[in-house]
Amino acid sequence: MAAYSSSLTVLLLLLHVTAMSMISMGVAGSYGQSHRYKAIYSFGDSLADTGNLYYDTEKLSASHASCLHLPYGETYFHRPTGRCSDGRLIVDFLAQKMGLPLLKPYLGIKNGKIKKDWKAREGVNFAVAGATALNSSFFIERGILNIATNYSLAVQLDWFKHFLPSICNSSSDCKKVLGSSLFLVGEIGGNDFNHPLFLRKSVEEIKAYIPFVINEISSAINKLIHLGARTMIVPGNFPIGCNVIYLRIFNTTNMKEYDEAGCLKRLNELAQDYNKKLRVEINRLQRLYPNTNIIYADYYRAALPLYHSPKRYGFKTIQNSCCAAGVNNGSRCPSACHDPSHYISWDGIHLTEAAYNLIAKRIIKWTFRLF
């Protein structure tokens, strides 16, 4: 009996130490109460853009121009903010999880449109709707001329370097500040596949782009580490075969092309192939930089259950799960919806705030467990 009591005491002590360690690492607490990281610096495309397109004086990303008008932003902000959704994005939920303000867009700061209510050391967003990981010259050389923006990952990284003096004032200061910040490197690379898919390029041809996309992301991670970054979240691609726009573009009577949820198998296999190779590269970089945390965010695994079991999460099936009718020439959504919270897809490509919320909760749960 004494031995049992002693073992129980040791077990309780271990549980207490573990719990206290998790709290110090920013894991414990209710949703929105993690304070380990003092800032988020975000790079990516429309899945993470919190307003750079909105403040872009040249409006290069014409294909995303509808994101600047209602009904975009109607749910949470009650006005368009440049976010390509009805409300918040994954990066917004991540910032709220960390107890930080929603990220201000770099171009709004640069152009003097955001003069107050922002602190550089609380984070800045460099993501732009329509952005690719690769420079536009890569696509032009391959006859893909529908690239809507030149704000590639390399351009966004250059913006960050020019912005550094606003964040820190010396090399040692930068190492300290950036070391206590969280870097969201993506989602980026999705448009590198979207643009050729819109032109009906074959999946086999697009798979040949994967190493180039991953090399560009890897290069960005290397540069951020040398600038002082220590913790990076690198998301993979979503199950793009479930996107409403692709279900419309690649509609076929051959039922073998679809999985049990009605998603296009070959496009999901493309995303899976990319994600697998991205994870291999992230693991290589982690071994190369053992004093950093380079964390893969599995957007694919987080999103797939919404499509496979939509009713379980309060959503309609993907075949009619599209909400923002009348935008983008009305080519994506057959009819408008009254309540976006019951839909996975917002406009055929981007998701609703309700879908992003569920995905963000999964990513936060899986990711913060590793910190």
Side-chain angles (χ1 to χ4, degrees), residues 277-295:
K277 290 173 180 174
L278 178 62
R279 294 189 77 161
V280 169
E281 179 61 13
I282 289 172
N283 290 336
R284 186 190 73 83
L285 290 170
Q286 185 65 79
R287 292 192 297 271
L288 186 62
Y289 300 106
N291 295 322
T292 65
N293 286 316
I294 310 171
I295 304 158

Side-chain angles (χ1 to χ4, degrees), residues 299-311:
Y299 281 11
Y300 188 101
R301 187 162 65 97
L304 196 62
L306 306 187
Y307 297 105
H308 279 224
S309 304
K311 292 182 179 179

